[in-house]
Every structure is written in structure tokens, then in C-alpha cells.
Amino acid sequence: MSTDVQPREPLRLPGWLKFIVVFLLVVGLIASFIWLMGAAATRRWEQFAADLRAKGQPVTFAEIEAQRTVIPDEINSAKIIEALADELNKLGAPPIDKWVLTFGSAATEDMGNGVPRYVLNASTKFRDQHAAILERLRPIMHMPAGRYSVDYSAPAIQILLPHLSRIRAAGKLVHLDTLLAAADHRAANAVDNVVLQLRLADTLAEEPTLISRLVQIALEGVALRSLEVALLAGELTETDVQRLQAEIDERLKKDSMRPAVLGERAYFVGACDDLLTGRLSAPGLAMVTQPPGAPAWLSFILRLPIWLVRTNQIKGAEMLSQLVDAGDDAAALSAAANNIDVETPKLPKTQVLTKMLMASVSRAIVLHHRITAELRCARAALAAERFRMRTARLPNALDELVPALLDEVPLDPFDAQPLRFKITDDGVVIYSIGENRGDDGGDVALRPKLGQRSMDVGFRLNPKPNQRPMDVGFRLNRLDRRGIVILEDPPPADE
């Protein structure tokens, strides 16, 4: 007996199940492709970071911190600022007399044409009220450097720098005391205060953030204004001039932008890492951290693809490395900053993180060049003052100072040409052409905003941020044109 074997019908999946299978296969392929892209981008990033480290460049804040100078507490000037935190936070808080130099709303110190007595009285009263702070700041003058207690292990966007406002307040108070010392013909006190202001700026010398560098620049700029007033007030000793010259020389030897640009790159790298780990929420880069107590699945779904973050991380780090590689070369720094500002808006949409996280650095580089120019002008002015002490006259050109007092005529960082020199009715001005890169004849004095009234004697009222000299430089008067005139005029009636 034979039995016919009936062929089996092929297994037929329901339509909905077929859809699920195909969907899962497609999702799996896409996920695998994305994973492979992420793995490849991660390998590229790791190689890029390894190349930087091989050149001795730190990549993260932790690596920067490991390379920073260790400063024992007993000689750490930053510890004094931190101990004065409460007092400095309150310094200059309202109500305050508007005529107080540096702190007041209506008075600033262009003292070449005299200073009203009511301004000196208000300023002296304010200084005396805060004399205890000044005394606690004095030891900084003898300390080599500072290092603040900053938590760089926090998410990059959450690194807090509250000490910056405090050190600015301290610098303003010492600057005020310098002006009063100069007006009172206390030259030795004025010199000590200039050194103290420069040492205050030194507390930020290795801090790896761009904003810290900008505050350091501001502090150094105020110190140089103090120095100009100290020389305006009268004759310093040659020992004092040499001391000040040595302080400025030390600053001109340093690659002062390096910590800031290393920190800017570390900030970018850290922000990308925080996006990958979920320490930073991703949608729209709202710059907020994961809320406390949020479920784990929320952190997971808010993360951006690894390949996207890593490719942005590489691109951003490459761009910022241009600044690191430029060192302290003025032309290279300017070219790198300009390239970053030009290139960033042109990046493709896939570089959205780079576009959002990349800071515009051009202004910071201009300010860096500006303070470099001011330091070089001040250095040359001190050499000119030593020349006057030896010859009883100011030089007729900077070349007269070479090689006895200057190795060479310093260069203007804005155009790499020798600093300019101009003989004036009062003495001389040594100057840089400044950021407009045009020679404005050595006009380095503050001017009121167009249409703004100033006192006839030249004492400036209500200084504005746009009250900038066209050129950048240092004024040095002849000995017979020195001295600060105390004006007995009453305050303006409408003030």
C-alpha cells in the first residue's frame, strides 16, 4: 500500500508580523551603522587627543590642573582674596558717594589737569572706611602667585568663578589708594600699590579660563594707569623705577594667553563629554544639567548620538588648537581668532554643537594685544625715566634708549612695527596704534562721549565703556610739568 506525501505549504507569517520583522531588521541595521559611526568617531577623537598629549598639551581641565604650579597655602596670594570674600563682595555696594574715585558713578581719574578737593575728600573717606581690607591685602605684594579653590571636576558649563568679582573689587580699592598716595606726594606708597596691583593680577596668571584672562588684563591695565599717575605726581627714585621695570619685564616674558586658550579648549571638550555621559541635557543645548531625581531612561533618550558629539568634539578642538599652537605670537593669534570667527558660521548643520559652543575669541585677542602694547609702552617709559635721571632730559627718540636701557625698541603687537614716540608740550608719549591700526598721533587720553559735558579743568564725568583712546600708550611728563593740582572748585550745581 502506498501513501502519497502531500507537500507542506510554506510557513506564512501574518502581515503585521512581517512588518515587525522587517522593521526590526531595518532598525538593527541603522543602529549598527550608527554604532559603527560612533565607534569610528570615538577612535578618531582618541587619536586626536593622544596626539595633543604627545605634544605635551593637556586636553581636559583635570590634566591642566595636574600641570599647574603647586603653591603652598602660606605663599598662595589667592588665599587672602578667598579669606576676604565677604568684605570684598560688599565693597562698593550702594549707597556710595558718587565722587569716590574708581567706585563712584561720576568721577574717574584723568588727573593730568588736576583733581577737585571734594573728590579727594570723598575718596579719602571711602578709603579710610576700608583701610582694614587694604592692610589684609598688603602681604600679596610679597607673594609670587595664586591659585584659587575652583572645582574643575564639575560639568564644564557649571564651573563657577565667584572670586573674579572679588579680585576686581580688591584691585579697584588698591588703585584708589594709589591715586590718593600720588595726590598726597607719597611716592613710595604709590609704587608699593602699583606692585600690589600687578601681584593681584598674578593671582590669575595660570587660571585656565578666558574670562579669568580678561579680568587679569583689566587688573594689569588699571595698574598701568596707577603707574602713569605715580610718575605724573613727581619724581621716583631710580630704585623704584628699576623695581617697577622688573615687574613689567616678568609679565612680558610670559606666554600669558596659553592658560586661557587651553582652558577654552578644555571647556569645549568637557561640554561634549558631559553630553555623552548625560551630565548635560541635550535638546537645544539648553545648558542645564540633568535635574535631580530624574529617571534614568530620561537621561538616556536625551543623549545625542555618539558620532555627532565626537565629530563636533574633534572639529571644535581642532579649531581651538589653532590658538594653542599660536603661542604668544601676536600675528598668529590674530589669524587664528579671525579664522575661527569666519569658519564657525560656515560649518555644516552636522556641526551644530561646534556652532553653539564655540566662543568668539577675536575680542579677547584684541584685548590681549592691547595690554601687551600697554606693558611694552610702560616698559619703554620707565627706561625713558631712567634716561632722564642720567641726562637731566627726556629722550628725543626711543633709539636713544638702546642698548643701555632697552635691548631694542619694543614692537607694536598690532602691526609688528616699532612703538611710536611723540614729543608733547608736557613731555613725551610712547604709544601703539591700537586696534584700529591707524596712527592717531599718540592720542591716549580718555575723552568724554560725544555731546557729553566735562568739567572745564578736564576731570572726566560719567565715564562710559566706549570712552576709549584711539591709540594705546603711556604719557611721561618732564619733571617741571609734574605734580597733581588740587582744585578748590565746588561740585557742579546740577550734579
Side-chain angles (χ1 to χ4, degrees), residues 474-487:
F474 198 100
R475 295 170 291 181
L476 180 65
N477 282 10
R478 301 193 312 268
L479 195 58
D480 63 326
R481 299 301 291 267
R482 297 186 190 181
I484 296 175
V485 178
I486 310 302
L487 305 166

Side-chain angles (χ1 to χ4, degrees), residues 32-94:
S32 298
F33 179 70
I34 292 175
W35 182 87
L36 288 171
M37 289 177 64
T42 297
R43 284 195 297 272
R44 291 197 303 273
W45 162 249
E46 289 172 347
Q47 183 59 55
F48 178 79
D51 291 342
L52 293 178
R53 294 181 177 111
K55 295 192 293 185
Q57 295 183 10
V59 178
T60 65
F61 278 119
E63 293 169 9
I64 293 173
E65 282 290 280
Q67 289 189 8
R68 289 181 66 185
T69 305
V70 176
I71 306 173
D73 286 354
E74 60 271 18
I75 58 171
N76 185 354
S77 51
K79 293 296 180 183
I80 294 178
I81 300 297
E82 291 177 338
L84 284 167
D86 290 341
E87 292 90 335
L88 293 174
N89 285 338
K90 298 173 185 175
L91 189 62

Side-chain angles (χ1 to χ4, degrees), residues 12-265:
R12 297 182 180 279
L13 297 176
W16 61 269
L17 188 55
K18 286 182 180 180
F19 174 79
I20 292 176
V21 171
V22 172
F23 176 77
L24 291 176
L25 286 172
V26 171
V27 169
L29 287 172
I30 293 174
S32 298
F33 179 70
I34 292 175
W35 182 87
L36 288 171
M37 289 177 64
T42 297
R43 284 195 297 272
R44 291 197 303 273
W45 162 249
E46 289 172 347
Q47 183 59 55
F48 178 79
D51 291 342
L52 293 178
R53 294 181 177 111
K55 295 192 293 185
Q57 295 183 10
V59 178
T60 65
F61 278 119
E63 293 169 9
I64 293 173
E65 282 290 280
Q67 289 189 8
R68 289 181 66 185
T69 305
V70 176
I71 306 173
D73 286 354
E74 60 271 18
I75 58 171
N76 185 354
S77 51
K79 293 296 180 183
I80 294 178
I81 300 297
E82 291 177 338
L84 284 167
D86 290 341
E87 292 90 335
L88 293 174
N89 285 338
K90 298 173 185 175
L91 189 62
I96 185 172
D97 191 321
K98 65 182 177 181
W99 295 116
V100 174
L101 286 166
T102 303
F103 288 91
S105 62
T108 190
E109 68 288 345
D110 191 0
M111 300 177 72
N113 294 316
V115 55
R117 187 172 297 282
Y118 59 84
V119 168
L120 290 179
N121 290 341
S123 301
T124 301
K125 179 180 178 182
F126 182 87
R127 189 270 316 275
D128 291 346
Q129 289 171 343
H130 300 94
I133 298 178
L134 278 168
E135 288 308 307
R136 291 177 65 184
L137 290 172
R138 300 288 181 205
I140 291 177
M141 184 168 50
H142 307 291
M143 294 181 172
R147 185 166 175 169
Y148 291 93
S149 303
V150 179
D151 182 10
Y152 292 102
S153 66
I157 64 167
Q158 277 198 328
I159 294 174
L160 302 177
L161 305 169
H163 57 279
L164 296 182
S165 61
R166 297 163 190 161
I167 193 172
R168 292 197 69 163
K172 288 172 67 176
L173 182 62
V174 179
H175 179 51
L176 167 62
D177 192 47
T178 312
L179 301 179
L180 294 175
D184 198 30
H185 308 291
R186 291 180 286 112
N189 295 107
V191 170
D192 283 347
N193 279 347
V194 172
V195 173
L196 176 54
Q197 288 177 79
L198 291 171
R199 295 296 175 89
L200 282 170
D202 285 345
T203 67
L204 299 171
E206 291 189 26
E207 192 149 287
T209 69
L210 196 58
I211 185 64
S212 297
R213 173 59 183 152
L214 294 177
V215 172
Q216 182 189 25
I217 287 171
L219 290 168
E220 289 178 337
V222 171
L224 294 180
R225 291 202 298 275
S226 291
L227 172 57
E228 191 176 68
V229 172
L231 284 167
L232 170 67
E235 186 173 16
L236 304 182
T237 67
E238 185 162 7
T239 300
D240 283 337
V241 174
Q242 290 176 322
R243 178 188 178 195
L244 292 166
Q245 199 169 24
E247 289 288 333
I248 292 175
D249 284 346
E250 282 301 307
R251 280 147 190 81
L252 288 172
K253 292 176 184 176
K254 296 176 181 177
D255 187 354
S256 47
M257 277 300 292
R258 180 178 170 82
V261 295
L262 283 174
E264 195 66 21
R265 187 174 67 187

